[in-house]
Amino acid sequence: MTTTTPTDTARLRAAVDFVREQDTAALLALLLPGLDALEQRSLADRCRFSHAAVLVFPATANELASQLARCGLDADTAARPSVVVRERLAARHGRSPAQLDVRILHPAVAGPQGERRSVEVFALTVPPGSELTPIAAHERARQHEAHLAFEVERPDPLVLHGMRALLARHGAAADGGGYNPHEDGTVFYFTAPADSKAGYGRVELYAPGDHRDVLAAHLDEHRLLQPAEMLLRLMTGAWTTQALAAFAELRAPDAMDTRTATSPTALADAVDAQPEHLARLLRYLAMLDVVSEGRDGFRLTPLGALLRADNPGSVRPLALMYGGPFYRSFGALAHTVRSGEVAFEHLHGENHFDHFARDPELAELFDQSMAASSRMFEPLTRHPVVTAAAEAPSAATVVDVAGGNGELLGRLLTAHPRLRGVLLERPHAVEAARRSLDAAGCGARCTYRAGDFADVPSGGDVYVLSRILHDWDDDRCREILRHCARVMHDDADLLVVERILPADGTPSLATAWDLHMMCNVGGRERRADHYARLLTDAGLALVDHVPLPLDGSVLHARRAVPRPGGTSSASMP
């Protein structure tokens, strides 16, 4: 069977029709079918569908103008030199870029709601009989440069890194890119995921301005598609963990800022380190975009600023925990896989909860590291169960079971001044939680209970188990859930915050944390249907589950069978 390659005009007209019809959010869902609702909204809030691209090969400039006019496009659209596509063609066909005068045009096209869009036309003039004719035939048949493009609004390095990571998590692979000084814009190309339904094999993120620092990392990922180099870089992941932990342990981020460069010598004096050795650490961190290097020294990037102790979103405790106690136990991962024994217990002779409880400094670091992931909690304050409790006629009570230092409970009470709270924790953690909630201004609405899971108090309206069940095996989880079910009245709700393993193997932080839980506490992450079975075994029913940031989820459960005669829904005194 012979297939006919579409003409340049036909391909151009198809691109125009596509651009006119597409909605940004709907197109993102087609392009990345694995996106959950929060991820889709996050992308749609940061970028807009801007154009579809096509590479054409007119014989003359007049022929290109005629093609544009036949497709309803402005034939007088200005053209600028291409840099990125010219170099990609040169590399693919073994030519000098100087032989390939590729031009870029952006004739305007209106979207379905009148949005400002365009068709990006790459044009390489190929007269009849030109030595470039084989290139034109090859490119028309394979459509290497056809792609969808999303323009990033208000780009900064942190946003660009986050968007690149999100695309990669859903199967889009780095596929080159570049900076075009003629239009002062940076492009990041990706191959579309295998399950994409958008009809285009490639996707572009376009960021106005010069973002070559972020582009360097993107191009490195593209080169890493070479298997041996990729594997070698994966093997050095432990070095990254230790570099970040050392940077945090030295408190070097606290002696730097994002505006003013600091010389390695001055920084070494401030943190009591050797200047030459510190400079070598900083060069490695610059490669990770944690710091940036200039003529006057190094400064923090927005990414590195998250390691400052005074940053409201600081992840410094996580860096110290992952580079310290948990790093050492991961060294015995093979022992856990071979024997089934928890690596942490193998190294320390006791479980991590008892070990941390006997060391106040370590216990405090662990509580701080848990709080450092608190961005996961942000949407919880708007969960329908929480808002319904906050709007109830009488003051409702939230019971945070094993609530750590009160970070989550404090967020809920701060967002809803009519709610009251109860925090259940082991004795050593209660005082830390009391201080934290007092500092947040909601301590007067809190009650504190020192105890274990068997001491879950009755009378609450909303019970919360945040990142608790993944610490335990199934039998212990059933026991914990039964303690909750036993004291819940018929109208009470249970919210379970965990990372849920994807059912289809989609890349997720939950998969990494599953290994972490196995190695350090003997627990595990689970799929949603697994949690549903555990809830059922405890007399509870899963109502729904919705996504949270950092690959988290909140599962909502209620009593499966009402108590005989019903129960009061009065709040706890």
Side-chain angles (χ1 to χ4, degrees):
M1 179 178 177
T2 302
T3 58
T4 303
T5 301
T7 65
D8 286 354
T9 302
R11 291 187 295 111
L12 187 55
R13 183 174 290 115
V16 171
D17 292 342
F18 188 92
V19 170
R20 283 178 176 150
E21 296 167 359
Q22 295 302 319
D23 169 77
T24 295
L27 184 55
L28 285 168
L30 291 172
L31 180 67
L32 305 169
L35 286 176
D36 61 38
L38 280 178
E39 291 172 328
Q40 182 178 332
R41 185 164 67 248
S42 176
L43 279 177
D45 286 346
R46 289 170 171 79
C47 67
R48 63 175 182 84
F49 174 48
S50 63
H51 65 259
V54 61
L55 172 59
V56 297
F57 302 91
T60 64
N62 287 339
E63 180 180 323
L64 175 61
S66 177
Q67 289 173 341
L68 293 173
R70 287 199 296 272
C71 295
L73 301 173
D74 183 0
D76 295 324
T77 303
R80 289 189 295 269
S82 160
V83 173
V84 179
V85 170
R86 180 191 65 187
E87 292 178 352
R88 285 171 58 86
L89 286 174
R92 197 152 54 234
H93 296 281
R95 299 292 184 117
S96 165
Q99 297 177 281
L100 305 171
D101 184 19
V102 182
R103 297 278 159 167
I104 307 175
L105 302 86
H106 286 105
V109 176
Q113 305 299 322
E115 301 96 330
R116 177 177 56 84
R117 294 179 178 171
S118 66
V119 173
E120 184 172 58
V121 182
F122 297 110
L124 174 61
T125 300
V126 180
S130 166
E131 63 174 349
L132 302 180
T133 298
I135 294 178
H138 176 93
E139 294 295 328
R140 284 190 179 114
R142 290 166 176 78
Q143 297 294 303
H144 290 301
E145 299 306 326
H147 64 261
L148 305 176
F150 297 85
E151 182 170 339
V152 183
E153 299 177 329
R154 301 179 300 278
D156 64 49
L158 198 58
V159 166
L160 292 174
H161 278 301
M163 294 180 73
R164 287 179 49 246
L166 185 55
L167 265 67
R169 187 158 70 243
H170 289 282
D175 189 35
Y179 170 69
N180 189 339
H182 302 291
E183 58 183 33
D184 189 29
T186 309
V187 296
F188 303 83
Y189 284 129
F190 300 81
T191 56
D195 58 350
S196 173
K197 299 176 178 61
Y200 280 75
R202 297 176 64 244
V203 61
E204 170 195 322
L205 287 184
Y206 176 81
D210 185 347
H211 301 281
R212 278 177 282 188
D213 50 348
V214 184
L215 179 65
H218 183 75
L219 297 178
D220 280 345
E221 288 184 14
H222 180 47
R223 286 189 289 270
L224 279 176
L225 294 177
Q226 299 299 318
E229 186 177 350
M230 177 182 290
L231 190 59
L232 184 60
R233 297 216 179 197
L234 289 173
M235 290 176 184
T236 65
W239 303 352
T240 297
T241 302
Q242 284 302 309
L244 293 170
F247 191 50
E249 183 179 342
L250 290 167
R251 293 191 175 273
D254 300 287
M256 303 174 69
D257 62 45
T258 58
R259 300 175 302 278
T260 307
T262 305
S263 72
T265 300
L267 185 59
D269 287 342
V271 302
D272 191 23
Q274 296 294 320
E276 180 186 349
H277 293 73
L278 182 59
R280 291 161 71 176
L281 171 62
L282 291 169
R283 279 197 297 272
Y284 182 82
L285 294 171
M287 189 172 68
L288 305 176
D289 197 38
V290 174
V291 301
S292 63
E293 183 176 9
R295 287 181 300 176
D296 299 327
F298 294 86
R299 61 177 177 84
L300 280 179
T301 64
L303 189 67
L306 291 172
L307 291 169
R308 287 181 60 99
D310 62 357
N311 189 320
S314 176
V315 296
R316 181 177 185 272
L318 281 173
L320 297 177
M321 185 63 69
Y322 293 161
F326 290 152
Y327 184 88
R328 290 189 287 274
S329 54
F330 254 104
L333 176 60
H335 173 81
T336 293
V337 174
R338 184 181 298 113
S339 68
E341 183 183 7
V342 178
F344 194 99
E345 296 176 12
H346 171 66
L347 292 176
H348 299 284
E350 58 185 340
N351 70 58
H352 110 287
F353 298 106
D354 291 338
H355 184 76
F356 287 4
R358 292 192 303 99
D359 186 332
E361 289 187 6
L362 201 54
E364 182 179 3
L365 177 62
F366 177 71
D367 286 341
Q368 290 173 350
S369 70
M370 292 290 285
S373 298
S374 62
R375 191 166 66 84
M376 183 189 293
F377 301 150
E378 290 173 6
L380 273 179
T381 60
R382 303 185 297 276
H383 192 283
V385 163
V386 176
T387 56
E391 295 167 1
S394 57
T397 299
V398 177
V399 180
D400 194 354
V401 180
N405 69 353
E407 172 71 24
L408 171 56
L409 186 58
R411 283 176 176 264
L412 298 178
L413 299 185
T414 300
H416 301 288
R418 296 183 66 247
L419 287 178
R420 300 189 62 81
V422 177
L423 186 134
L424 172 69
E425 251 299 356
R426 297 205 291 181
H428 77 273
V430 166
E431 287 309 311
R434 190 189 304 275
R435 292 191 298 271
S436 174
L437 288 162
D438 283 345
C442 48
R445 289 184 282 135
C446 286
T447 303
Y448 304 91
R449 302 288 178 89
D452 206 337
F453 296 116
D455 303 306
V456 176
S458 61
D461 300 289
V462 180
Y463 288 80
V464 179
L465 285 168
S466 176
R467 297 177 294 176
I468 302 301
L469 297 183
H470 73 164
D471 290 334
W472 307 100
D473 62 23
D474 285 359
D475 288 342
R476 182 61 164 152
C477 284
R478 292 187 188 95
E479 182 182 347
I480 294 168
L481 291 170
R482 285 177 181 134
H483 285 311
C484 293
R486 173 176 51 81
V487 299
M488 289 170 61
H489 59 69
D490 289 348
D491 296 326
D493 297 281
L494 172 66
L495 299 180
V496 177
V497 179
E498 296 289 355
R499 288 187 170 96
I500 295 179
L501 286 171
D504 58 359
T506 301
S508 169
L509 286 174
T511 306
W513 256 257
D514 188 41
L515 199 64
H516 168 63
M517 303 315 293
M518 177 183 76
C519 188
N520 284 289
V521 300
R524 62 184 302 175
E525 307 295 353
R526 297 169 172 87
R527 296 190 344 182
D529 57 352
H530 193 155
Y531 278 116
R533 291 193 298 272
L534 294 175
L535 290 163
T536 298
D537 292 346
L540 299 164
L542 179 62
V543 178
D544 61 27
H545 66 90
V546 295
L548 296 173
L550 301 178
D551 278 356
S553 292
V554 55
L555 300 98
H556 173 206
R558 304 198 82 185
R559 288 186 57 83
V561 180
R563 297 179 189 277
T567 56
S568 168
S569 61
S571 296
M572 183 181 305

